Amino acid sequence: MGDSFWENIIVETAARYSVVVLCTVVFLSIFELVTSYKNWVEIKSGNFAVAMATGGKIFGIATIFRYSIEHNDTLLQSIGWGVVGFLLLLFGYIMFEFLTPTIKIDEEIGKGNIAVGFISMIISVGLAFVIGASIG
């Protein structure tokens, strides 16, 4: 009878949702550490490029967890694959910065370059779909 509480679809959904929200906050904090600008300060001041780049990261994290939840039976497996997916997304962000030597991506987004913010968003979204389709 004790197991039936945790097997209830509403309880399971609430648990997965809560974990994804917590992971999203943690992962965004990690992204904040690797960028030269302060996401929420820039967004508050109206920097649309940062808003797009951050929105892309949020969408990317959510998409990775969407696939992770769909393909894993347990909450721990979903979290594990979500973390792996996030690390791949972070790696992709860092690679994007290094593979565009003529543009300092991070600096341009911080300065409000909307074109760079947009492409950063699209890269995060695109990578999230590829990562999501690849995780177990």
Side-chain angles (χ1 to χ4, degrees):
M1 184 127 187
D3 286 340
S4 64
F5 175 78
W6 292 107
E7 293 172 1
N8 181 299
I9 189 67
I10 294 170
V11 172
E12 186 177 338
T13 299
R16 289 181 189 266
Y17 172 80
S18 300
V19 165
V20 170
V21 169
L22 178 63
C23 286
T24 300
V25 169
V26 170
F27 296 164
L28 285 175
S29 298
I30 293 169
F31 269 123
E32 181 111 14
L33 292 174
V34 300
T35 58
S36 61
Y37 50 84
K38 299 293 179 205
N39 292 328
W40 303 110
V41 171
E42 290 294 326
I43 290 169
K44 185 178 178 184
S45 71
N47 188 328
F48 193 62
V50 171
M52 285 191 297
T54 303
K57 292 169 189 164
I58 293 168
F59 186 88
I61 293 165
T63 300
I64 288 167
F65 272 104
R66 174 246 187 260
Y67 282 100
S68 181
I69 290 168
E70 181 180 27
H71 293 271
N72 292 286
D73 293 332
T74 70
L75 183 59
L76 277 178
Q77 287 174 325
S78 295
I79 294 168
W81 280 109
V83 169
V84 169
F86 164 73
L87 292 173
L88 291 171
L89 189 63
L90 181 63
F91 178 72
Y93 180 81
I94 292 167
M95 290 304 298
F96 176 45
E97 179 76 41
F98 285 116
L99 293 177
T100 52
T102 59
I103 303 172
K104 297 213 178 291
I105 302 300
D106 201 45
E107 189 178 301
E108 290 297 318
I109 292 171
K111 288 194 288 187
N113 186 326
I114 294 172
V116 177
F118 179 76
I119 200 72
S120 176
M121 177 183 71
I122 296 301
I123 287 173
S124 292
V125 169
L127 286 176
F129 280 109
V130 173
I131 292 165
S134 302
I135 62 177

